[in-house]
Amino acid sequence: YSLRSATMQEMYIPMLVHMVTTWQLIHFSFSDHFRWDPKTIKYLNWLSMLCSLDTDELDWALPANLLRARNMYLAGLTASIIGALLFVMVVYSDLFGRATRQLKEIENSEGYRQEVKRGQTGLTTRAMGKEHIRKKSVDRRVSMWSLFIWTCTTVLVVPIAKSIIRFYDCDRDPGHTPSYYLHLVPSMACYEKVHLGMVAPLAALLMIFILMSLP
């Protein structure tokens, strides 16, 4: 066994997870179902929104001609963000696998072993060898990609699932037109026309994300 100092990721990631989880809980608590003072929760909503993939606070950026279609626009924006995240996850997962194989090839190469024998590892006064410099560069990319994948498959699991499930939350009210409508977009009839075309793609996105989140 050997002793070593904790890396930056090992030191700060646990604190980051606790912070993000706290803001997610705040966001779920300070919802429209409770009558909180708007002035009190204004900034809390902004911070929790960033941790919950909730775009409801972005209506200030809408053009005037889109304010009537606010919920529809924000729903599309949320779905776009989730789709982009899934695409990047797939790309990074492939790049991560390639980089991991490249690391093994470098470590098994004759040049790398010779540099170890000569002490060109960067841990002594001797300059780091070419293969060790190459390995360090690949290590950095692997660390960056693994951190992104870890974030998407841990702290973002609940927000992504919640954001997709919102598209299946329908209300029934005989006095409303339509009588069976999407809670997020009251003007949209559930499982008809536009909503019907959204259901299958969103379900596929959720299934892909869940499968990619499995260890």
Side-chain angles (χ1 to χ4, degrees):
Y1 298 98
S2 61
L3 296 177
R4 65 173 177 82
S5 300
T7 63
M8 296 294 286
Q9 290 186 11
E10 292 169 341
M11 291 173 62
Y12 293 112
I13 282 182
M15 291 187 286
L16 177 64
V17 171
H18 284 295
M19 183 180 70
V20 171
T21 303
T22 300
W23 287 122
Q24 288 177 350
L25 291 174
I26 289 174
H27 178 80
F28 299 152
S29 298
F30 293 164
S31 64
D32 297 335
H33 300 288
F34 298 93
R35 295 181 179 179
W36 300 97
D37 182 1
K39 295 180 180 179
T40 304
I41 65 172
K42 178 180 179 181
Y43 299 104
L44 293 177
N45 277 340
W46 264 99
L47 289 171
S48 59
M49 176 200 70
L50 297 176
C51 301
S52 305
L53 291 181
D54 195 341
T55 57
D56 289 350
E57 299 294 328
L58 296 179
D59 55 357
W60 59 269
L62 290 177
N65 60 340
L66 287 179
L67 285 177
R68 293 183 178 179
R70 171 185 178 276
N71 288 343
M72 181 68 123
Y73 177 85
L74 295 177
L77 182 59
T78 301
S80 300
I81 292 174
I82 294 171
L85 276 176
L86 289 176
F87 175 77
V88 175
M89 280 179 63
V90 172
V91 174
Y92 272 18
S93 297
D94 181 62
L95 293 175
F96 178 81
R98 293 184 183 182
T100 303
R101 291 192 295 271
Q102 188 178 2
L103 279 177
K104 292 182 179 179
E105 292 174 359
I106 293 173
E107 292 173 350
N108 293 329
S109 66
E110 185 62 27
Y112 183 85
R113 293 176 181 175
Q114 291 299 324
E115 289 175 1
V116 172
K117 291 180 180 179
R118 292 193 296 265
Q120 295 178 302
T121 59
L123 300 176
T124 63
T125 56
R126 293 188 176 185
M128 187 181 294
K130 184 187 297 185
E131 291 299 315
H132 278 77
I133 293 175
R134 185 173 160 221
K135 180 178 180 292
K136 186 176 181 180
S137 175
V138 177
D139 267 329
R140 287 176 180 173
R141 295 202 302 269
V142 169
S143 178
M144 180 186 67
W145 293 334
S146 63
L147 178 61
F148 176 82
I149 294 172
W150 174 85
T151 302
C152 289
T153 55
T154 51
V155 296
L156 291 184
V157 169
V158 172
I160 288 179
K162 172 179 172 286
S163 297
I164 293 180
I165 290 173
R166 291 173 70 188
F167 290 94
Y168 296 86
D169 181 17
C170 296
D171 295 331
R172 192 179 295 277
D173 182 3
H176 187 274
T177 303
S179 58
Y180 190 45
Y181 59 93
L182 187 64
H183 181 79
L184 183 63
V185 186
S187 61
M188 181 183 292
C190 272
Y191 301 104
E192 295 182 15
K193 298 180 180 179
V194 177
H195 185 251
L196 186 60
M198 295 168 55
V199 170
L202 288 173
L205 279 178
L206 182 60
M207 290 303 299
I208 292 172
F209 176 73
I210 292 175
L211 291 175
M212 291 193 65
S213 300
L214 295 176

